């Protein structure tokens, strides 16, 4: 079996996704603080347009998993190796940061005098649901992907004809779930007392909410040789007839992103009557287009952009999981010490939070990978160590 070709632009792709995560978190508080001011709409646009972050990460996971594993024999050894790596590099850092953020929340709320039994119960709930801090739910989604992946892989191997339909299947299942959740059973919430479907997790923490992105990535991963020429943006490709399709895709991406923001503003801010399915449709369409457009941008930057930009974004993408885990802690302390003032000063302070949280977490993770043995316990697989092993093997 031939070794799969490494796709170099993927780390650049991850860097855009992690920057979008930081944008969402850096601007989340502003949507409350700037409501009714001239700053509200610009911050709302940044926050809403960046909502592709988690879907794009899930798309990338689907792509990488199926690209790397679809041609391998599905046996006990592969399953054992697969879960061994994920337990080490995903689950262990998740547990470490759940403990860290749980203690941090006790400190913030001055609740160290909480009865031990209650503390243990709340920690168990946070560990199960990914609620020790606002961002950890994403790891719960990833663990669900890893849980179902061998089953999906086995299905696509036994019935290869189904592979062509994987994206429509994912899209239909996701929208069936959205429809049932709105018009049939509802996921439980503190404000809802009627009939509901209790899956034990919030709606946004269940993998079926993201099946269209997972299956789009999986489909492209399994048919990458057919997709690569369309994903690889170049002047030659533009002239060959792909250009108009690329341009239309990019225009739609921007237009739907703007419309997505406008709908959010009308429904959730102004209070206009509107079917929430419209918002769901725009959110889904914008995130799906983001998966393609960001790949185009990543490819163009990696192969045609300035060298220092390529190196920087590749490094950021390689450190993205660690940055994801650490940045909310740094953002909290930045906000604690830095406050806004006038409109300009406030906008600068929000931008400063984005820069500080991203750069400091990136520096910490990068140097931990480079110089700290056992850094995987905190930040997952060490990308620089794997590169050294490959170099030594050559």
């Amino acid at each position: 079996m031939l070794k799969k070709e490494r796709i170099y632009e993927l780390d650049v792709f991850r860097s855009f996704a992690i920057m979008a995560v930081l944008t969402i978190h850096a601007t989340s508080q502003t949507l409350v603080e700037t409501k009714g001011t001239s700053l509200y709409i610009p911050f709302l646009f940044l926050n809403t347009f960046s909502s592709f972050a988690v879907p794009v990460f899930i798309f990338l996971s689907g792509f990488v998993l199926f690209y790397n594993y679809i041609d391998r024999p599905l046996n006990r050894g592969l399953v054992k190796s697969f879960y061994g790596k994920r337990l080490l590099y995903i689950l262990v850092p998740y547990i470490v940061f759940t403990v860290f953020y749980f203690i941090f929340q006790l400190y913030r709320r001055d609740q160290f005098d909480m009865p031990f039994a209650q503390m243990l119960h709340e920690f168990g709930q946070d560990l199960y649901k990914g609620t020790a801090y606002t961002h950890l739910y994403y790891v719960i989604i990833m663990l669900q992907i890893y849980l179902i992946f061998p089953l999906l892989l086995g299905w696509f191997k036994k019935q290869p004809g189904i592979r062509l339909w994987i994206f429509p299947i994912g899209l239909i299942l996701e929208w069936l779930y959205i429809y049932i959740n709105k018009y049939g059973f509802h996921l439980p919430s503190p404000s809802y007392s009627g009939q509901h479907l209790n899956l034990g997790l919030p709606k946004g923490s269940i993998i079926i909410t993201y099946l269209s992105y997972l299956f789009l990535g999986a489909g492209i991963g399994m048919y990458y040789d057919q997709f690569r020429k369309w994903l690889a943006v170049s002047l030659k490709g533009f002239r060959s007839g792909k250009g108009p399709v690329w341009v239309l895709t990019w225009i739609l991406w921007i237009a739907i992103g703007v419309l997505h923001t406008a709908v959010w503003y009308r429904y959730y801010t102004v209070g206009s009557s509107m079917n929430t399915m419209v918002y769901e449709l725009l959110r889904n369409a914008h995130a799906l287009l983001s998966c393609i457009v960001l790949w185009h941008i990543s490819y163009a930057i990696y192969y045609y952009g300035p060298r220092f930009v390529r190196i920087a974004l590749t490094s950021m993408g390689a450190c993205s999981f660690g940055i994801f885990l650490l940045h909310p802690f740094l953002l909290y302390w930045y906000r604690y010490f830095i406050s806004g003032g006038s409109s300009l000063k406030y906008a600068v302070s929000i931008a400063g939070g984005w820069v500080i949280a991203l750069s400091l977490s990136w520096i910490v993770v990068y140097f931990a990978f480079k110089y700290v043995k056992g850094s995987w316990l905190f930040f997952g697989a060490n990308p620089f160590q794997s590169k050294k092993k490959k170099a030594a093997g050559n």
Side-chain angles (χ1 to χ4, degrees):
M1 182 179 60
L2 294 176
K3 189 175 182 180
K4 288 282 187 168
E5 173 191 356
R6 186 182 173 195
I7 304 171
Y8 293 96
E9 67 268 22
L10 290 188
D11 278 332
V12 177
F13 201 156
R14 291 185 184 96
S15 74
F16 286 116
I18 196 61
M19 284 190 282
V21 170
L22 266 292
T23 302
I24 293 169
H25 293 165
T27 59
S28 59
Q29 194 170 301
T30 67
L31 299 185
V32 176
E33 296 174 342
T34 64
K35 194 170 182 180
T37 72
S38 60
L39 290 176
Y40 179 74
I41 291 179
F43 281 127
L44 177 65
F45 174 77
L46 287 172
N47 187 278
T48 308
F49 197 90
S50 300
S51 63
F52 59 74
V54 167
V56 161
F57 270 125
I58 292 171
F59 164 81
L60 282 168
S61 295
F63 172 81
V64 170
L65 288 174
F66 284 90
Y67 175 74
N68 286 319
Y69 285 94
I70 191 61
D71 296 323
R72 297 187 188 183
L74 181 57
N75 51 38
R76 183 178 297 180
L78 182 140
V79 173
K80 183 178 178 181
S81 172
F82 176 81
Y83 281 117
K85 290 178 181 177
R86 269 70 195 176
L87 289 174
L88 278 178
Y89 299 131
I90 299 294
L91 187 57
V92 172
Y94 169 69
I95 293 172
V96 168
F97 270 91
T98 296
V99 172
F100 173 77
Y101 280 113
F102 183 78
I103 295 172
F104 179 56
Q105 292 283 51
L106 292 178
Y107 163 76
R108 284 182 58 193
R109 299 166 183 165
D110 194 21
Q111 292 180 330
F112 281 113
D113 58 347
M114 182 187 297
F116 181 74
Q118 182 184 348
M119 190 181 294
L120 197 62
H121 172 75
E122 291 193 9
F123 174 76
Q125 289 294 303
D126 284 343
L127 188 66
Y128 169 65
K129 296 181 179 181
T131 51
Y133 216 73
T134 54
H135 64 312
L136 292 177
Y137 76 95
Y138 168 73
V139 185
I140 297 299
I141 299 170
M142 293 305 302
L143 292 173
Q144 292 171 67
I145 292 174
Y146 298 147
L147 185 65
I148 66 173
F149 172 68
L151 301 176
L152 293 175
L153 186 63
W155 180 30
F156 299 141
K157 281 181 171 292
K158 288 182 180 179
Q159 296 182 311
I162 206 73
R163 298 179 192 178
L164 289 170
W165 301 97
I166 182 172
F167 172 62
I169 289 171
L171 194 64
I172 290 168
L173 289 175
E174 180 178 322
W175 273 92
L176 183 63
Y177 171 68
I178 292 170
Y179 183 87
I180 291 173
N181 186 53
K182 181 173 177 62
Y183 294 108
F185 290 95
H186 298 260
L187 290 176
S189 67
S191 61
Y192 186 79
S193 59
Q195 191 176 34
H196 63 256
L197 179 64
N198 191 348
L199 299 179
L201 290 170
K203 174 177 177 286
S205 299
I206 300 174
I207 185 54
I208 196 170
T209 309
Y210 307 93
L211 274 188
S212 62
Y213 317 112
L214 178 67
F215 281 17
L216 176 64
I220 293 176
M222 289 187 288
Y223 290 99
Y224 179 66
D225 289 339
Q226 289 86 342
F227 277 101
R228 64 189 303 174
K229 291 182 180 179
W230 194 82
L231 292 168
V233 177
S234 65
L235 185 59
K236 182 179 178 181
F238 193 91
R239 291 171 175 169
S240 70
K242 302 185 188 78
V245 180
W246 290 342
V247 171
L248 178 61
T249 303
W250 302 334
I251 291 172
L252 280 174
W253 177 62
I254 295 170
I256 292 175
V258 171
L259 188 58
H260 180 203
T261 304
V263 166
W264 175 274
Y265 178 79
R266 282 192 59 194
Y267 183 78
Y268 291 97
T269 305
V270 178
S272 301
S273 60
M274 184 180 297
N275 191 325
T276 56
M277 298 291 274
V278 175
Y279 171 76
E280 292 280 2
L281 177 63
L282 292 171
R283 177 196 60 82
N284 186 218
H286 183 243
L288 287 169
L289 286 169
S290 298
C291 296
I292 304 303
V293 172
L294 292 177
W295 196 314
H296 287 168
I297 296 171
S298 301
Y299 186 94
I301 287 176
Y302 188 89
Y303 288 101
Y304 306 111
R307 184 174 181 272
F308 78 94
V309 174
R310 182 182 76 240
I311 292 172
L313 293 182
T314 298
S315 171
M316 186 191 299
C319 297
S320 59
F321 185 57
I323 294 171
F324 169 81
L325 292 171
L326 182 60
H327 80 270
F329 178 72
L330 300 174
L331 188 59
Y332 170 84
W333 286 112
Y334 174 86
R335 287 170 173 167
Y336 184 83
F337 290 108
I338 304 295
S339 60
S342 63
S343 293
L344 179 60
K345 184 179 178 183
Y346 182 83
V348 171
S349 72
I350 298 302
W354 186 89
V355 171
I356 295 297
L358 176 61
S359 58
L360 284 184
S361 55
W362 179 11
I363 289 168
V364 169
V365 174
Y366 177 84
F367 281 101
F369 280 149
K370 282 287 188 178
Y371 302 111
V372 179
K373 289 184 178 180
S375 58
W376 64 269
L377 289 165
F378 304 96
F379 304 125
N382 188 331
F384 307 109
Q385 192 175 55
S386 62
K387 287 177 182 178
K388 287 179 181 178
K389 287 181 179 178
K390 288 177 182 178
N394 292 336

